[in-house]
Amino acid sequence: QLNQRMQLAEKLNLSGLTLTALNKKGKPEKKLEKAKQLQINFTIPQNNSTPVGEKTFYVRIVSPEGNVLGGGKTFAFEGGKVEYSEKKSIEYDQQEAHLTVYHNISTALTKGDYIVEVFVDNYRLASKTFALTK
């Protein structure tokens, strides 16, 4: 039981997950057809129980049709393989970290609900739905 508690204490948390469409100048864009990039921001709060070291965050962006944007790349998760859109590695030092991940848009975006999921250390840290409507 103590071992399980230690594993839970070591687990990273995530807050402030946002998804923003950007135009070619890197500014927020309301019209989906003009979007050239998607920007994902999130914060990893301070956690003194998490071991210091490199952490790789995998970000999945799932379209309203159920496709993983930028799919084809996979990582191991719960004994299987999961497709992801982008990944970002940082040197985690137990201090609060603000991360920004960019995804270049290669095909036209459709209106609807996009699901953004963030994984690290074989955990799904967050799953949030964002409506892109214009």
Side-chain angles (χ1 to χ4, degrees), residues 14-15 17 42 115-119 123-128:
L14 180 147
S15 64
L17 181 62
F42 55 93
I115 300 168
V116 176
E117 297 176 299
V118 180
F119 297 81
Y123 287 105
R124 182 186 347 228
L125 286 184
S127 179
K128 189 170 178 182

Side-chain angles (χ1 to χ4, degrees), residues 5-6 8-11 46-52 92 94:
R5 273 200 219 139
M6 283 303 295
L8 282 175
E10 288 178 359
K11 190 176 145 188
Q46 177 180 341
N47 186 339
N48 294 331
S49 300
T50 302
V52 170
Y92 183 70
Q94 299 181 330

Side-chain angles (χ1 to χ4, degrees), residues 41-78:
N41 288 307
F42 55 93
T43 299
I44 303 299
Q46 177 180 341
N47 186 339
N48 294 331
S49 300
T50 302
V52 170
E54 185 177 69
K55 300 284 183 197
T56 300
F57 295 86
Y58 295 92
V59 177
R60 274 171 57 96
I61 307 166
V62 183
S63 72
E65 297 79 29
N67 301 318
V68 176
L69 301 187
K73 304 169 284 196
T74 62
F75 68 98
F77 182 71
E78 293 183 347

Side-chain angles (χ1 to χ4, degrees), residues 77-105:
F77 182 71
E78 293 183 347
K81 297 269 185 209
V82 174
E83 272 190 299
Y84 69 94
S85 304
E86 300 296 333
K87 70 178 180 179
K88 181 157 193 161
S89 295
I90 64 165
E91 195 63 34
Y92 183 70
D93 61 1
Q94 299 181 330
Q95 300 305 307
E96 183 173 276
H98 302 280
L99 282 84
T100 301
V101 178
Y102 294 96
H103 175 73
N104 292 323
I105 297 168

